[in-house]
Amino acid sequence: MQDRIRPVGIDDVTAVKTIEDSCFPNPWDIDVFIALAESDGCITLRRGKQVLMHVIENNGSVAGYIVWENCPDTHKGRVLNIAVRKNLQRMDLGRSLLQHVFDSLTERGIKTVALEVREGNLAAHRLYERMGMEESGRVPNYYDNEDAIIYSITL
Ligand SMILES: CC(C)(COP(=O)(O)OP(=O)(O)OC[C@H]1O[C@@H](n2cnc3c(N)ncnc32)[C@H](O)[C@@H]1OP(=O)(O)O)[C@@H](O)C(=O)NCCC(=O)NCCS
């Protein structure tokens, strides 16, 4: 079966949280995922800013997800979270999720996308570089004792 990318739903939250807990030392709270699922994967904030979350299915099960911001007033997008189930990594799902977000933001007139990543997360660095993103900054101690590297791309 083909991979399918769609807005997160409430039935996805348990699988999402399991992936989140297995991938990150400081996982997001389940309430964030519930709030996004209860809003059909799109929460609108002030000045039209949106926080969106889509999941990718593999053979009908949730295999990964991506959370991003769309800021129409600044024409900027930001990836807030991306993860793929460990046993399904290196199968192009991360690449598909990022491309999906780039396409979605491009359709909405967004010009640049940025994200922060732990300095030591080399798998993620390679993914972002593979997607044409470039290092554009550093935030010292953004993650407790680890710097964040900022990656960005002009769409
Ligand atoms: C980072 C992550 C989302 C990548 O997802 P993925 O589905 O495994 O990535 P893809 O299969 O689409 O990989 C695309 C490219 O990224 C690079 N890449 C991905 N994982 C890599 C790894 N472990 N080592 C080296 N390069 C890697 C490769 O260039 C790869 O292309 P290739 O397989 O043709 O060489 C996944 O490793 C993950 O969920 N990690 C834990 C959560 C996380 O760190 N998220 C990022 C937070 S900023």
Side-chain angles (χ1 to χ4, degrees), residues 19 23-24 80-86 88-96 115-118 121-128 130-131 143:
I19 297 170
C23 282
F24 295 106
L80 304 177
N81 197 348
I82 177 171
V84 171
R85 212 163 76 199
K86 278 188 188 295
L88 295 174
Q89 290 178 2
R90 292 310 283 272
M91 291 172 63
D92 275 345
L93 300 180
R95 194 197 307 251
S96 298
L115 55 81
E116 294 88 24
V117 55
R118 283 178 185 270
N121 189 349
L122 297 183
H125 287 239
R126 295 292 90 80
L127 169 65
Y128 303 142
R130 198 65 184 257
M131 297 299 294
Y143 306 98

